[in-house]
Amino acid sequence: MSENGGKPSIRRLKTRPRDRNWAMTRMGLSAGAHFAAHSVGNFFRSGSDRDERNRQFYQQQAQFLAEQLGELKGSVMKAGQMLSLYGQYFLPPEAVDVLSGLQDDTTPVDWSFLQPVIEDQLSAARRAELEIDERPIAAASLGQAHRARRKSDGLELVIKIQYPGVADAIDSDVKTIVRLLWLSKMVPRELSLDPVIAEVRDMLRREVDYEHEARATQAFAAKLADDPRFVVPRILPEYSGRSVLTMTYEQGVALRSEQVRNLPQTQRAELGRSFIWLFLREFFDWKMVQTDAHFGNYRVRLSEGQAPQLVLLDFGATRHFSSAFVAGYREVVAGAVERDQQRLVAGAESIGLMSSGFPADTLKAFAELCYTIVEPFMIGTDHPPPAALVGDLGYRYGQTDLPRRVTQLMSRAALSRYFRIPPREIVFLHRRMAGAFIAQTVLDVEWDARELVLDALGAAADEAT
């Protein structure tokens, strides 16, 4: 959930199907009209001017959709966020940038819409035990969070409340957002979005299942209970329900805060190491990954005389991966680190990402993409990163342009007639992986992760045998 930041709350929440359908119909008509006008204008433009106008058009279309979805709230907005993850494979970059921004800028809902949810989910006796602040501390697309205090002992709590009607609208909202993308002419006509729709729908259902989130939170808390690097909230089932989830309030500052930026390099590097270690452990060992890498789900606890800790929040997007998928993906990573194209392609084929029957140049391009992605883990090998990116302590994440180079390679791969949207597991796994990498650049750290990655690959191999 993103911070509220003092924004005025929404006074009227469109939860009735008729209201939502009419609002989205208007969006679709407007998007179609804008495209028609843009197409007519392009007829009279030169090639270079047409390209520039296309970029402006896609950005304006995406911005319009983002603003309208932000007012609607609910699963249609969350679907827009999730589609931005898939969108890097088929949407214009301008549209991806705007849609992904939905994750960071949401307007809170007035307490009058949420109070009935609390009254329905918690008994009068339980509600009487709490003092709830009606001002939200964070707002997102599916719900928002409020501070609370237990009167008996002063325990500080956070209550996560789901917006009314969200769970019931998932199917229609997912269909609608996809239809809007078609009407906006931002999706190639020949591309099937059926696998995308299925994954987005499944993920949304997991995120509105607060019982699933409670179990996932408790599982992570148990696995990290003895690790002083991490803090996980404690769930209070007595103050929770189908649409209400209550947990302990865990203090911390934002990852991008000045306090974190001013930490010594060694402490920032340890935080960076914690991000990578946690991702590797989640995927290769636990096979249970919190796939939402939004930085609002992380805080840094700074305590006098103690090493900084990562506070982990919001486990609604947690998903499990099969042993077969993890084993196949391990072969991809190991093949990339060892620059073994045959091993890399075999692993990719086992998880449905590539086919050994593809032309040699397609397989080579895929291998080169993977070799580039693992660049930070190649210090001290025969294929090291560019010298400018290697410092005394390791890879200089704060100075690298690796994300840009990877994006360029992926864009070229998408132009191939052998391009396919990756399997559903990979898209959300890569969201988490990218988040762990971007955290390094935000922290502006310098360290060598090679041994950490090799250890994880070795442990995964031992388990597989």
Side-chain angles (χ1 to χ4, degrees):
M1 288 189 175
S2 59
E3 291 297 331
N4 177 15
K7 296 180 184 177
S9 61
I10 295 175
R11 295 290 179 178
R12 181 173 181 268
L13 187 63
K14 296 171 182 174
T15 57
R16 293 185 302 177
R18 184 180 65 182
D19 290 342
R20 295 175 72 78
N21 288 339
W22 170 238
M24 287 186 277
T25 298
R26 284 191 292 107
M27 274 189 274
L29 292 173
S30 178
H34 288 161
F35 179 77
H38 172 73
S39 298
V40 171
N42 258 357
F43 184 78
F44 301 99
R45 297 186 181 105
S46 65
S48 58
D49 187 39
R50 186 181 298 120
D51 290 341
E52 178 60 28
R53 293 294 295 179
N54 279 338
R55 284 192 290 271
Q56 294 176 6
F57 167 75
Y58 287 130
Q59 188 171 29
Q60 290 167 358
Q61 287 284 74
Q63 186 64 52
F64 171 75
L65 293 179
E67 291 172 354
Q68 297 300 310
L69 296 179
E71 290 297 317
L72 281 175
K73 288 286 191 179
S75 56
V76 69
M77 181 182 175
K78 190 69 173 182
Q81 298 174 11
M82 293 182 177
L83 282 169
S84 73
L85 302 173
Y86 280 102
Q88 63 184 306
Y89 300 100
F90 58 81
L91 287 178
E94 297 81 8
V96 175
D97 289 344
V98 175
L99 288 177
S100 62
L102 283 169
Q103 302 181 56
D104 300 317
D105 191 14
T106 59
T107 305
V109 167
D110 192 78
W111 176 252
S112 61
F113 293 103
L114 299 179
Q115 186 172 0
V117 179
I118 290 285
E119 293 174 348
D120 176 68
Q121 299 286 295
L122 302 183
S123 67
R126 287 300 188 191
R127 296 198 307 272
E129 296 173 5
L130 304 175
E131 289 180 356
I132 304 176
D133 188 343
E134 297 180 3
R135 298 167 299 175
I137 59 170
S141 52
L142 302 178
Q144 62 192 41
H146 291 253
R147 290 284 298 272
R149 187 182 69 87
R150 188 162 61 183
K151 298 176 184 177
S152 61
D153 59 2
L155 181 64
E156 296 291 330
L157 304 171
V158 171
I159 303 181
K160 185 175 176 179
I161 309 170
Q162 193 173 119
Y163 297 133
V166 162
D168 297 332
I170 287 176
D171 287 346
S172 62
D173 278 358
V174 171
K175 291 177 182 177
T176 297
I177 186 64
V178 172
R179 187 166 67 248
L180 288 174
L181 288 174
W182 287 114
L183 288 170
S184 304
K185 307 299 183 183
M186 290 192 289
V187 178
R189 186 183 300 275
E190 67 278 6
L191 188 64
S192 172
L193 291 183
D194 290 346
V196 176
I197 295 170
E199 175 62 17
V200 169
R201 184 184 297 114
D202 290 347
M203 181 61 78
L204 284 169
R205 287 173 177 162
R206 278 194 290 273
E207 291 210 27
V208 298
D209 184 350
Y210 279 9
E211 292 179 350
H212 158 77
E213 181 174 347
R215 291 192 299 271
T217 305
Q218 291 166 332
F220 271 82
K223 291 180 180 298
L224 296 171
D226 298 325
D227 194 324
R229 295 174 296 176
F230 304 98
V231 177
V232 180
R234 175 167 60 90
I235 298 295
L236 282 79
E238 63 270 29
Y239 302 116
S240 302
R242 187 180 65 257
S243 304
V244 174
L245 184 61
T246 300
M247 63 201 79
T248 53
Y249 172 75
E250 303 297 344
Q251 189 173 7
V253 299
L255 195 69
R256 290 189 169 98
S257 68
E258 184 177 355
Q259 297 99 307
V260 173
R261 289 198 304 269
N262 290 336
L263 289 173
Q265 166 67 219
T266 54
Q267 291 190 336
R268 284 185 282 115
E270 282 305 310
L271 287 172
R273 182 183 295 272
S274 295
F275 267 102
I276 298 296
W277 179 91
L278 182 60
F279 167 72
L280 295 172
R281 184 56 60 93
E282 287 179 30
F283 181 61
F284 288 114
D285 188 4
W286 306 337
K287 302 176 181 63
M288 177 182 69
V289 181
Q290 194 285 83
T291 62
D292 189 352
H294 182 266
F295 284 161
N297 294 335
Y298 301 92
R299 291 288 185 269
V300 178
R301 177 172 294 177
L302 305 175
S303 304
E304 188 70 30
Q306 294 184 357
Q309 297 172 291
L310 275 181
V311 180
L312 311 180
L313 306 171
D314 197 342
F315 295 88
T318 300
R319 68 171 300 155
H320 291 78
F321 292 84
S322 69
S323 296
F325 180 85
V326 173
Y329 199 90
R330 177 195 171 276
E331 291 301 290
V332 174
V333 179
V337 170
E338 297 171 7
R339 299 184 78 85
D340 183 339
Q341 179 176 317
Q342 183 176 0
R343 183 178 186 181
L344 188 158
V345 171
E349 188 172 20
S350 73
I351 58 177
L353 185 59
M354 295 290 289
S355 170
S356 57
F358 285 176
D361 58 344
T362 299
L363 298 177
K364 182 179 179 181
F366 175 71
E368 289 297 330
L369 170 64
C370 295
Y371 298 157
T372 302
I373 291 173
V374 300
E375 173 183 285
F377 314 137
M378 302 303 290
I379 294 176
T381 71
D382 293 335
H383 304 279
L389 296 178
V390 180
D392 295 336
L393 303 177
Y395 191 80
R396 291 173 170 166
Y397 288 92
Q399 299 181 28
T400 184
D401 64 344
L402 181 60
R404 180 188 60 80
R405 285 184 278 131
V406 169
T407 300
Q408 289 178 340
L409 290 171
M410 290 177 63
S411 298
R412 288 200 288 271
L415 297 176
S416 167
R417 66 188 181 93
Y418 296 96
F419 163 74
R420 61 176 66 173
I421 295 177
R424 56 167 61 186
E425 298 92 344
I426 287 179
V427 172
F428 287 90
L429 175 66
H430 285 182
R431 170 171 69 164
R432 176 71 164 81
M433 185 188 305
F437 180 88
I438 294 171
Q440 312 301 309
T441 64
V442 170
L443 290 166
D444 189 16
V445 293
E446 179 182 316
W447 66 287
D448 187 356
R450 180 172 175 80
E451 290 303 319
L452 197 62
V453 171
L454 293 179
D455 287 346
L457 293 175
D462 291 343
E463 182 177 336
T465 56

